Amino acid sequence: MASKTELWQSRASEKKKELLRPLLKERLQGSWLGLIIPMILLISWEIASVRGVFEAHLLPAPTVVLAKISEMAADGSLWSHIWITLYRVFIGFVIGTASAVVIGSFVGYWKLAENLLDSLVQAFRSIPSLAWVPLFILWMGIGEPSKIVLIAVGVFFPVYLNIVAGIQGVDRKLIEVGKIYQFSSLQIVRRIILPSALPSFITGIRSGLGVGWMFVVAAELMGASEGLGYLLVEGQNTYAPDVVIASILLFALLGKGSDSVLKLVETKALHYQDTLANQG
Amino acid sequence: MASKTELWQSRASEKKKELLRPLLKERLQGSWLGLIIPMILLISWEIASVRGVFEAHLLPAPTVVLAKISEMAADGSLWSHIWITLYRVFIGFVIGTASAVVIGSFVGYWKLAENLLDSLVQAFRSIPSLAWVPLFILWMGIGEPSKIVLIAVGVFFPVYLNIVAGIQGVDRKLIEVGKIYQFSSLQIVRRIILPSALPSFITGIRSGLGVGWMFVVAAELMGASEGLGYLLVEGQNTYAPDVVIASILLFALLGKGSDSVLKLVETKALHYQDTLANQG
Amino acid sequence: SDKASGGDEKPEKITLDYAYYSPTSLVLKKFGWAEKELKKDGVEVKWVQSLGSNKALEFLNSSSVDFGSTAGAAAFIAKSKGAPIESVYIYSQPEWTALVTKDKKIKSVKDLKGKKIAATIGTDPYIFLLRALKEEGLSSKDVKIVNLQHQDGANALLSGEVDAWAGLDPHMAKVELESDGKFLYRNPDFNTYGTLNVRSEFAKDHPEYVKKVIALYEKARQWTLEHPDEAAKLLSEEAGLSLEVAKKELERNNFEQPVPGDEQREAISSAGEVLKAEKVISPDTDIDKVVNELINPSFAEKAVK
Amino acid sequence: MLAVQQLKRVFKGGSAGFRNLHFTVQESEIIGILGTSGCGKSTLLRVLAGLDQNFTGKLKNKDKDGKQPGMMFQEPRLMPWLTVKENIGFGVKDGAGKEVEIQQFIDLVGLTGFENHYPKDLSGGMAQRTAIARALITDPSVLLLDEPFSALDAFTKMQLQDLLLSLWEKRKTTMVLVTHDIDEALYLCDRIFVLKGQPGEQYAELILDDIKKPRQRGSHELAERKSNILNLLDLSRQEAN
Amino acid sequence: MLAVQQLKRVFKGGSAGFRNLHFTVQESEIIGILGTSGCGKSTLLRVLAGLDQNFTGKLKNKDKDGKQPGMMFQEPRLMPWLTVKENIGFGVKDGAGKEVEIQQFIDLVGLTGFENHYPKDLSGGMAQRTAIARALITDPSVLLLDEPFSALDAFTKMQLQDLLLSLWEKRKTTMVLVTHDIDEALYLCDRIFVLKGQPGEQYAELILDDIKKPRQRGSHELAERKSNILNLLDLSRQEAN
Ligand SMILES: Nc1ncnc2c1ncn2[C@@H]1O[C@H](COP(=O)(O)OP(=O)(O)OP(=O)(O)O)[C@@H](O)[C@H]1O
Ligand SMILES: Nc1ncnc2c1ncn2[C@@H]1O[C@H](COP(=O)(O)OP(=O)(O)OP(=O)(O)O)[C@@H](O)[C@H]1O
Ligand SMILES: [Mg+2]
Ligand SMILES: [Mg+2]
């Protein structure tokens, strides 16, 4: 049993200073910590490769892959692959998100729109990206539009789903406040429902962006001659595992990078939430 | 301006009876309404096909596709395709969801786990399904495990993302109640955080199931000889648009069907929410 | 829109495809002869890459390209399902497919009975496998065909997941050079030629330009024949292959016979029989009719001197 | 202005809510509603505000311009993503003077210095004061108040009661005030309805318009009425049980 | 039992929270805390409960078994996915008699018949009563109550105050009670602290343990103390401004 003195908790005011900027410190520390596991994975992969556990023609060593990447960087092809894919993902993401917001708001708020549209969307949602490819080529040819629209399709569904769920989960109490002020439906959606659904929406766009990246490969099957998805498929077709792994790494890096941007937006936008993380 | 009598709103009690079971009525009506647009689409597609707007070798008429489906149903191959794919999706869904719940709970609740793991997961999240195929064959061969795990990977990410967001968005006020009762971290997670995050979690599994269906094609590129994804790829490789469209339709139907099950679960599980839809 | 334009006599634009499996298309693209030649008529040239026969056919079907390079059998299957295309030129007679194994105990096609074989359904290696089996009196029912993409099939073979693989170049050349895979069965005649296909509509509207394109291909073919080493280097650079692999691949291409004719008809018809037996094409297909409609030597006969 | 006949709204097969309400509120009257917890006071305000349409009976709640009543809910219901200032201005149409007016109300309810706080950083009483300011600033012709001062200390409460009265002097707003504080009802109201039971029914009506406002808190007159009301409430409870 | 020295917890650069608190609570004492809205009462309870660790100064809040105080928050904080019954039993360890005990408390706070309602279908007062039951049922040795009866009508309030006293008779729970109702503080507490200012500081202490419990509501003795407290509160406000 604890002695009497031990029951006292004491905190001197100097300690407080340490607590002043814990967020910044934590964040820096956090990003370092995040590198530990990837580093361990990379190093063991390298060691295993050097020891011959993985056959080089199946899974080349990280150093080989990095050499490939820097080779591509040197001859400039890397940048054009990255640039064009980033461009496609970005535009597709914007289009997909915008349409999901519009349609999702309708479906979330108006029962009739939900009854009319939701089933259809849910049905389309599980059609694989590869299935769309021939149809999109047929409808839109093999230019940029078909690629961008296909990525937009991938982005659309998670955003839609999260926005509808967010809207339908909005607290009735807050909506009633808007009704008291005789807000129009549009005002209620814009001023109460969308801000309320913001956390869910942000999760949706983060999820959607991920699916967008995934759809890049299918999109770039439609007559691309550049891009990360093209690089991947070409690597597979020319039996170049280093190119394949390089493109996978690039997908991972760009995906993580673009997601970090959204995560930053999330932290900024949701600072008002009364959660453990936001405690003052 | 309204006359004096018009200012009165009056509701007789008979009207109330009509309101007794609006939910059931609405739901029935809802499901009928959902068929309107698909029907319009199908009929205009049929008409366009008959009129020769779409060339049959590119986009066969719905009736042709239906004939193909019933042909496959008659010779039994349809059922084995559907069955094996359903089986893979189901098991993959369960595995993906379970691991997302475990890992997501850790990451959502313990800052350290978030720092260690989250970046890695976010990086993996944007790797396209097709990129995994060679790696999975390498690691797990071409049996059922690799297919199921690949589907689980697809399911994992949206569920993970939504569960982490759900947990991190949990109201601090409720967590404090648990702390007052000196709940252990595990109890807090199980009794407060997970139920609080339930709406977000359910959106996540619905989103995840959709991505799971999308991953079927990649999964069944790994040495399948049956399944809807196999059917799709076979149809594409043998230039059989009727098979392709049939498999797309089946994806849509099964996807919608499986989602409806989850939606039902959602409605049941979230009946306690104080939302417009749940008003008594 | 990217639809290649039709029009009356002169097309505004001609869209050609290039593919790593068609070395002459790479040569043609590399030297820009088409652009130079057609610019004289004020016709624009656009290049699109085909990653495989199926993509080339999708592009042809959606009028995204005017000329597409495919395997003969692939063009045949598509034609049998109604695709409006004609094979007007042979870019090579490749021996791009063969049966490969690592298992020393498998010495002939007969030994494959009951074994797991990787192949991509519907492609030339698949047809090759079926024909090889048929020759030995076997059918697809006697073995277990595992549907894998070409490169995955190679990996599966190397990691011992499957006993044999119906391979395709350049994967096959690479397996041959870089690992212990060996040929189990090869037969150039079971390959169905590399055919250059044109959209029927384009052929009808612009017959002159079909001839012009064939003439350009001829120029590329001549160059390839005259400069085998440079051609290998070009292929290795364009397709990101090592020089040895590229050389191996080129060695297995025969560029002697550019005009489609009876040999092709025969090869494709025999492939057709197998496909019919395996129900890849409908059992009531009139193979000869389809083949005759597909193979159209008239342009090449005039263009090739 | 505001009138109901045979008004009824029940939940769960008739075991909760209210029923049998008849009353008419004159222009610029202040009506108090007292009753035990759960007797349907908030439900009544929701019906009066037009938020709950599943009532039976007759209801008149629009003013001559067709406007619905304003309302302050029992919980603050602040938008968590808006600051105090933005919450108070939530229902105010944009226009010149909006900022000034908001600042006035912030000062009136004693939140000066907390303009830019988010709801999560407010104390219970501060959140309630923000909600009060949000309800008062839009100046509706009918105002429904659901326990507006329940989370405030005695002095802040009195101060805001006086604020309410002074605004009423200026604007002559019709008000319906649900409260548990009998002194508050006595200080502010012209008439007081007592509800009883579950579902609640009209039990008694107390008319106070003979006592001039501003009234004297703790005056003998009010003390008398207070014991009167306490009796009524007690009786209503006993009868209901 | 419960003691603080130099306790301070401020937000936003020192402009809100509380500071300079010194007091010791004896076992089974009932302490009242009064103060203007926003002076840091809830913050104090959060620190005492061990929920807020960012204080400075010294704090003793564990009982001899090392257990932290129980607490009832200013808002009901019910789990929306649990019924009234489940919410009340939320902190109760599973075991024989759990159900019976829950039902007892449901009856004690007057929620009989609403056992299976979800929070969204409760009135404000009913939600508060559920929270009271949830806090009382676990029988902690120290109980912190943050305006526990603020949403209740006069009679229900009295009834629950008596319930609290009767439980105290049985269990001799140490309690810290934040309230805005001076009568309530006078009826229940042994000592009353008055806080002043923003951030709040200890302003006065009132010792009432000379008046025996159960006390007579509205007795002369209490009325005297009440005016005393009102004076103190008024002074504290004036000094703070
Ligand atoms: N998380 C926070 N961040 C910043 N300031 C806060 C936070 N929590 C409380 N405050 C401020 O601390 C002060 C005291 O708040 P507290 O909730 O303790 O007041 P209170 O005495 O309980 O008031 P009330 O009687 O209105 O409930 C308030 O000015 C409030 O704005
Ligand atoms: N949505 C609902 N579904 C079912 N019952 C409800 C609903 N809303 C309120 N009730 C019930 O109606 C009754 C009246 O609730 P109301 O909120 O009007 O009470 P109140 O008089 O405001 O009480 P309090 O003083 O505690 O706030 C309560 O018994 C409550 O349980
Ligand atoms: Mg109420
Ligand atoms: Mg407080």
Side-chain angles (χ1 to χ4, degrees):
Chain A
M1 212 177 269
S3 84
K4 260 203 170 152
T5 44
E6 276 179 302
L7 291 174
W8 280 93
Q9 296 178 41
S10 143
R11 286 166 168 271
S13 38
E14 300 94 79
K15 280 206 185 157
K16 249 211 79 202
K17 289 218 177 91
E18 266 185 55
L19 291 160
L20 270 179
R21 295 209 138 268
L23 215 68
L24 193 72
K25 245 181 95 184
E26 210 169 69
R27 205 169 277 171
L28 273 175
Q29 201 190 5
S31 52
W32 284 112
L33 282 176
L35 290 177
I36 294 181
I37 296 184
M39 279 301 154
I40 293 178
L41 288 180
L42 271 182
I43 291 171
S44 20
W45 171 15
E46 178 73 34
I47 292 174
S49 296
V50 170
R51 296 236 177 125
V53 179
F54 304 137
E55 294 162 76
H57 60 270
L58 295 179
L59 193 63
T63 41
V64 175
V65 175
L66 288 180
K68 181 77 210 171
I69 293 181
S70 50
E71 183 197 317
M72 287 193 292
D75 75 11
S77 62
L78 180 67
W79 311 121
S80 50
H81 286 306
I82 289 182
W83 164 245
I84 188 77
T85 296
L86 264 182
Y87 163 79
R88 287 171 185 148
V89 170
F90 179 74
I91 307 279
F93 174 71
V94 170
I95 296 178
T97 304
S99 19
V101 169
V102 173
I103 301 181
S105 305
F106 269 87
V107 169
Y109 191 64
W110 281 286
K111 194 80 196 154
L112 183 69
E114 180 179 2
N115 285 338
L116 279 176
L117 288 174
D118 193 53
S119 296
L120 194 66
V121 175
Q122 302 304 344
F124 274 110
R125 197 155 65 79
S126 32
I127 297 177
S129 56
L130 282 181
W132 289 115
V133 170
L135 294 176
F136 270 58
I137 293 181
L138 196 62
W139 294 331
M140 282 178 278
I142 54 175
E144 287 304 304
S146 56
K147 300 186 186 68
I148 286 173
V149 173
L150 185 60
I151 292 173
V153 166
V155 174
F156 177 85
F157 294 112
V159 180
Y160 169 89
L161 206 63
N162 272 280
I163 217 167
V164 171
I167 288 178
Q168 293 186 337
V170 169
D171 194 340
R172 175 187 53 83
K173 294 196 190 69
L174 297 185
I175 296 179
E176 285 184 357
V177 173
K179 291 204 173 146
I180 282 297
Y181 292 117
Q182 315 220 334
F183 281 5
S184 66
S185 287
L186 194 70
Q187 276 178 308
I188 288 188
V189 168
R190 207 173 54 75
R191 300 194 52 190
I192 302 177
I193 293 186
L194 289 184
S196 279
L198 191 64
S200 182
F201 169 66
I202 293 184
T203 310
I205 61 174
R206 287 181 64 192
S207 195
L209 184 60
V211 179
W213 280 108
M214 287 184 184
F215 268 54
V216 163
V217 173
E220 294 184 348
L221 279 179
M222 297 190 287
S225 52
E226 267 180 338
L228 292 184
Y230 168 81
L231 202 64
L232 178 82
V233 174
E234 197 202 36
Q236 293 185 342
N237 279 348
T238 59
Y239 205 58
D242 52 345
V243 176
V244 173
I245 305 282
S247 70
I248 291 180
L249 276 186
L250 290 172
F251 267 114
L253 286 178
L254 289 180
K256 167 67 190 148
S258 57
D259 181 68
S260 297
V261 175
L262 290 187
K263 203 167 177 179
L264 210 72
V265 172
E266 181 173 29
T267 321
K268 293 255 162 189
L270 301 185
H271 65 97
Y272 65 81
Q273 278 192 320
D274 192 3
T275 58
L276 281 181
N278 286 346
Q279 232 172 328
Chain B
M1 212 175 267
S3 84
K4 254 195 176 159
T5 44
E6 276 179 302
L7 291 174
W8 280 94
Q9 296 177 41
S10 143
R11 285 168 170 269
S13 36
E14 299 94 77
K15 279 203 185 160
K16 248 211 79 204
K17 291 222 174 88
E18 266 186 53
L19 292 160
L20 271 178
R21 296 208 137 270
L23 215 68
L24 193 73
K25 245 179 97 183
E26 211 169 66
R27 204 169 278 170
L28 274 174
Q29 201 189 3
S31 52
W32 284 112
L33 281 175
L35 290 176
I36 293 179
I37 297 183
M39 280 299 153
I40 293 177
L41 288 179
L42 272 182
I43 290 171
S44 21
W45 173 13
E46 178 73 34
I47 292 173
S49 296
V50 170
R51 296 236 177 125
V53 180
F54 304 136
E55 295 161 78
H57 67 278
L58 298 178
L59 194 63
T63 41
V64 175
V65 176
L66 288 179
K68 181 78 208 171
I69 292 181
S70 49
E71 183 197 317
M72 288 193 291
D75 73 13
S77 62
L78 180 68
W79 311 121
S80 49
H81 286 307
I82 289 182
W83 163 245
I84 188 77
T85 296
L86 263 182
Y87 163 80
R88 287 170 186 149
V89 170
F90 180 74
I91 308 279
F93 175 71
V94 170
I95 296 178
T97 303
S99 20
V101 169
V102 173
I103 301 181
S105 304
F106 270 88
V107 168
Y109 191 64
W110 281 287
K111 193 81 195 153
L112 182 69
E114 180 179 1
N115 285 338
L116 278 176
L117 287 173
D118 193 53
S119 295
L120 194 66
V121 174
Q122 301 304 344
F124 275 111
R125 197 155 65 80
S126 33
I127 298 177
S129 56
L130 282 182
W132 290 115
V133 170
L135 295 175
F136 270 59
I137 292 180
L138 193 63
W139 294 330
M140 281 178 278
I142 54 176
E144 285 304 304
S146 56
K147 302 185 184 70
I148 286 172
V149 173
L150 185 59
I151 292 173
V153 165
V155 173
F156 178 85
F157 294 112
V159 181
Y160 169 89
L161 206 63
N162 273 280
I163 217 167
V164 171
I167 288 179
Q168 293 185 338
V170 169
D171 193 342
R172 176 186 54 80
K173 294 197 191 72
L174 297 185
I175 296 179
E176 285 184 356
V177 174
K179 291 202 172 145
I180 283 296
Y181 291 118
Q182 316 221 334
F183 281 3
S184 66
S185 286
L186 193 71
Q187 276 178 308
I188 288 188
V189 168
R190 206 173 53 75
R191 300 194 52 189
I192 302 177
I193 293 186
L194 288 185
S196 277
L198 191 65
S200 183
F201 170 65
I202 293 184
T203 311
I205 61 174
R206 287 182 64 191
S207 196
L209 184 60
V211 180
W213 280 107
M214 287 183 183
F215 268 53
V216 163
V217 172
E220 293 183 349
L221 279 179
M222 298 191 287
S225 53
E226 265 180 338
L228 291 184
Y230 169 82
L231 201 64
L232 178 81
V233 173
E234 191 201 39
Q236 292 186 343
N237 281 353
T238 58
Y239 314 101
D242 51 346
V243 176
V244 173
I245 305 283
S247 69
I248 291 181
L249 276 187
L250 290 172
F251 268 113
L253 286 178
L254 289 180
K256 167 66 190 151
S258 56
D259 182 68
S260 297
V261 175
L262 290 186
K263 202 167 180 182
L264 209 72
V265 172
E266 180 171 31
T267 321
K268 293 254 162 192
L270 301 184
H271 65 97
Y272 65 80
Q273 278 193 320
D274 193 4
T275 58
L276 279 182
N278 286 345
Q279 230 172 330
Chain C
S1 139
D2 270 279
K3 306 262 174 189
S5 52
D8 9 278
E9 195 36 44
K10 196 184 76 175
E12 270 172 42
K13 183 171 83 176
I14 296 182
T15 313
L16 300 169
D17 83 335
Y18 66 99
Y20 298 156
Y21 49 81
S22 165
T24 40
S25 70
L26 295 178
V27 172
L28 187 56
K29 173 169 178 281
K30 175 82 182 175
F31 292 112
W33 292 329
E35 285 84 341
K36 237 177 278 164
E37 181 65 27
L38 293 171
K39 202 176 175 186
K40 290 181 207 154
D41 304 349
V43 177
E44 195 193 328
V45 172
K46 206 181 147 224
W47 287 97
V48 171
Q49 183 180 4
S50 295
L51 286 166
S53 297
N54 55 348
K55 286 289 145 206
L57 285 163
E58 271 170 18
F59 296 166
L60 280 167
N61 271 333
S62 61
S63 307
S64 298
V65 299
D66 300 311
F67 292 85
S69 321
T70 72
F76 166 76
I77 303 175
K79 182 82 182 176
S80 79
K81 313 241 160 155
I85 53 170
E86 288 160 27
S87 301
V88 292
Y89 183 73
I90 302 298
Y91 57 77
S92 78
Q93 184 197 4
E95 189 197 352
W96 50 26
T97 176
L99 297 186
V100 189
T101 184
K102 240 172 71 170
D103 190 340
K104 302 233 160 43
K105 276 178 262 157
I106 300 176
K107 295 204 173 63
S108 74
V109 176
K110 268 209 181 81
D111 298 334
L112 287 177
K113 196 163 176 184
K115 298 280 193 230
K116 257 196 206 169
I117 308 165
T120 315
I121 300 224
T123 60
D124 240 25
Y126 175 73
I127 298 168
F128 182 86
L129 170 65
L130 294 179
R131 290 180 71 179
L133 290 172
K134 193 180 167 201
E135 219 183 25
E136 294 294 333
L138 299 173
S139 86
S140 64
K141 305 235 163 24
D142 299 312
V143 296
K144 191 164 187 309
I145 298 181
V146 178
N147 183 32
L148 284 167
Q149 300 299 94
H150 302 303
Q151 71 283 356
D152 297 331
N155 287 348
L157 177 76
L158 295 182
S159 57
E161 287 281 337
V162 293
D163 304 302
W165 167 53
L168 183 74
D169 269 337
H171 310 287
M172 203 165 67
K174 210 156 179 177
V175 168
E176 194 186 348
L177 284 169
E178 294 179 3
S179 66
D180 49 356
K182 66 176 173 55
F183 285 123
L184 162 70
Y185 177 76
R186 50 194 291 187
N187 182 350
D189 292 340
F190 280 6
N191 291 276
T192 56
Y193 296 86
T195 58
L196 182 68
N197 307 284
V198 65
R199 295 189 295 116
S200 304
E201 197 191 345
F202 185 91
K204 204 173 114 234
D205 292 348
H206 316 290
E208 280 313 306
Y209 284 88
V210 178
K211 276 180 239 161
K212 280 192 179 166
V213 169
I214 291 176
L216 288 164
Y217 260 94
E218 269 299 288
K219 190 170 171 188
R221 184 175 72 90
Q222 291 302 341
W223 185 89
T224 312
L225 282 174
E226 284 155 23
H227 307 87
D229 290 340
E230 283 158 75
K233 201 161 148 266
L234 195 151
L235 177 62
S236 88
E237 276 167 11
E238 288 290 305
L241 301 171
S242 73
L243 195 56
E244 303 96 89
V245 172
K247 271 195 176 136
K248 258 248 140 47
E249 190 184 335
L250 269 188
E251 271 169 26
R252 292 205 276 257
N253 271 282
N254 176 356
F255 295 102
E256 298 298 341
Q257 257 289 352
V259 183
D262 288 337
E263 279 166 57
Q264 284 75 27
R265 289 200 182 95
E266 206 167 293
I268 293 174
S269 296
S270 331
E273 294 298 337
V274 181
L275 292 169
K276 202 164 165 177
E278 292 292 332
K279 292 206 186 100
V280 170
I281 58 173
S282 112
D284 46 10
T285 311
D286 182 346
I287 293 177
D288 289 336
K289 186 165 162 269
V290 174
V291 171
N292 282 327
E293 279 169 14
L294 177 69
I295 304 283
N296 179 357
S298 63
F299 296 103
E301 277 160 2
K302 281 174 213 148
V304 178
K305 284 135 224 154
Chain D
M1 196 77 272
L2 200 64
V4 305
Q5 283 174 20
Q6 275 300 135
L7 199 67
K8 174 173 165 186
R9 169 66 167 116
V10 290
F11 302 97
K12 312 257 162 187
S15 74
F18 64 82
R19 62 186 176 191
N20 281 340
L21 294 194
H22 277 277
F23 59 80
T24 308
V25 181
Q26 303 304 326
E27 209 154 316
S28 79
E29 237 186 336
I30 303 184
I31 301 288
I33 296 190
L34 290 175
T36 47
S37 166
C39 74
K41 304 180 294 298
S42 301
T43 309
L44 172 61
L45 288 204
R46 283 169 43 77
V47 169
L48 292 180
L51 293 175
D52 189 337
Q53 293 284 327
N54 294 329
F55 59 89
T56 61
K58 286 175 106 182
L59 165 71
K60 195 168 83 172
N61 67 348
K62 303 243 165 80
D63 69 6
K64 33 189 179 334
D65 304 337
K67 276 210 192 140
Q68 284 182 0
M71 175 155 179
M72 178 189 161
F73 296 92
Q74 192 167 2
E75 322 84 36
R77 299 199 183 182
L78 304 181
M79 307 293 144
W81 58 90
L82 298 180
T83 60
V84 166
K85 200 161 67 180
E86 291 161 346
N87 263 297
I88 292 178
F90 189 67
V92 184
K93 299 230 159 47
D94 288 327
K98 177 175 172 178
E99 287 297 307
V100 179
E101 204 183 4
I102 291 173
Q103 192 58 50
Q104 262 171 11
F105 271 89
I106 288 175
D107 297 344
L108 282 174
V109 298
L111 286 174
T112 323
F114 291 89
E115 290 86 349
N116 297 318
H117 277 219
Y118 283 92
K120 75 178 174 85
D121 297 336
L122 295 180
S123 79
M126 288 157 88
Q128 194 170 46
R129 283 180 277 157
T130 311
I132 296 171
R134 182 178 65 182
L136 294 180
I137 197 171
T138 50
D139 188 17
S141 60
V142 179
L143 185 57
L144 311 171
L145 298 162
D146 201 348
E147 307 187 24
F149 310 125
S150 61
L152 302 177
D153 63 284
F155 279 93
T156 314
K157 194 183 252 184
M158 290 178 200
Q159 198 177 318
L160 289 178
Q161 285 163 356
D162 290 332
L163 169 66
L164 204 66
L165 273 188
S166 73
L167 285 176
W168 176 82
E169 290 288 346
K170 255 193 279 177
R171 305 169 172 180
K172 297 292 176 201
T173 316
T174 312
M175 293 189 215
V176 178
L177 173 76
V178 168
T179 182
H180 287 316
D181 184 336
I182 300 168
D183 294 319
E184 181 171 293
L186 288 170
Y187 185 66
L188 295 174
C189 301
D190 302 312
R191 278 192 292 162
I192 297 175
F193 295 122
V194 179
L195 302 187
K196 77 152 186 215
Q198 213 167 17
E201 281 178 279
Q202 225 160 322
Y203 178 71
E205 181 178 344
L206 232 103
I207 300 174
L208 296 159
D209 53 8
D210 51 327
I211 318 178
K212 278 260 150 55
K213 287 185 230 176
R215 296 170 185 161
Q216 201 62 39
R217 283 181 215 272
S219 73
H220 190 67
E221 233 173 342
L222 290 188
E224 210 169 85
R225 306 283 177 126
K226 182 172 180 178
S227 65
N228 196 346
I229 290 183
L230 280 172
N231 272 337
L232 278 171
L233 279 172
D234 206 8
L235 280 173
S236 80
R237 273 160 49 80
Q238 283 159 15
E239 278 183 35
N241 291 348
Chain E
M1 196 76 271
L2 201 65
V4 305
Q5 284 175 18
Q6 276 298 137
L7 199 69
K8 174 172 164 187
R9 168 69 168 113
V10 290
F11 302 98
K12 312 255 158 187
S15 74
F18 64 82
R19 62 186 176 192
N20 280 340
L21 294 195
H22 277 277
F23 59 81
T24 308
V25 180
Q26 304 304 325
E27 208 154 316
S28 77
E29 236 185 338
I30 302 184
I31 301 287
I33 296 190
L34 290 175
T36 46
S37 167
C39 74
K41 304 179 295 297
S42 302
T43 308
L44 172 60
L45 289 203
R46 283 168 45 77
V47 169
L48 292 180
L51 292 175
D52 189 336
Q53 293 285 326
N54 293 330
F55 59 89
T56 63
K58 286 174 103 184
L59 166 70
K60 194 168 83 171
N61 68 349
K62 301 245 164 79
D63 69 8
K64 35 189 178 337
D65 306 335
K67 275 210 191 138
Q68 284 182 1
M71 175 155 179
M72 179 189 160
F73 296 92
Q74 191 167 2
E75 323 82 35
R77 300 201 183 180
L78 304 181
M79 306 295 144
W81 58 90
L82 297 180
T83 60
V84 167
K85 200 160 69 181
E86 291 161 345
N87 262 298
I88 292 180
F90 189 67
V92 184
K93 300 227 160 47
D94 287 327
K98 177 174 172 180
E99 286 298 306
V100 179
E101 205 183 4
I102 291 173
Q103 191 58 50
Q104 263 171 10
F105 271 89
I106 289 175
D107 297 344
L108 282 174
V109 298
L111 286 173
T112 324
F114 290 90
E115 289 87 351
N116 297 317
H117 277 217
Y118 283 91
K120 76 176 172 84
D121 297 337
L122 295 179
S123 79
M126 289 158 86
Q128 194 170 46
R129 284 181 277 157
T130 310
I132 295 171
R134 182 177 66 181
L136 295 179
I137 197 171
T138 50
D139 188 17
S141 58
V142 179
L143 186 58
L144 311 172
L145 299 162
D146 202 348
E147 308 188 24
F149 311 124
S150 61
L152 301 178
D153 63 284
F155 280 92
T156 313
K157 193 184 250 184
M158 290 180 198
Q159 199 178 317
L160 289 177
Q161 286 163 354
D162 289 332
L163 169 67
L164 203 67
L165 273 189
S166 73
L167 285 176
W168 177 81
E169 291 288 348
K170 256 194 278 176
R171 305 169 172 178
K172 297 290 176 203
T173 316
T174 312
M175 294 190 214
V176 178
L177 172 78
V178 168
T179 180
H180 287 316
D181 184 337
I182 300 168
D183 293 320
E184 180 172 290
L186 288 170
Y187 184 66
L188 294 174
C189 299
D190 301 313
R191 278 191 293 160
I192 295 175
F193 295 122
V194 179
L195 303 186
K196 77 152 184 214
Q198 213 168 17
E201 282 178 278
Q202 225 161 322
Y203 178 70
E205 181 179 343
L206 233 102
I207 299 176
L208 296 161
D209 52 10
D210 50 327
I211 318 178
K212 277 263 153 49
K213 283 186 234 177
R215 296 169 185 160
Q216 201 60 40
R217 286 180 211 271
S219 71
H220 191 68
E221 236 173 339
L222 291 188
E224 210 169 83
R225 307 283 176 122
K226 182 172 177 178
S227 66
N228 196 344
I229 291 183
L230 280 171
N231 271 337
L232 279 171
L233 280 171
D234 207 7
L235 280 174
S236 80
R237 276 160 48 80
Q238 282 161 17
E239 278 182 36
N241 290 347

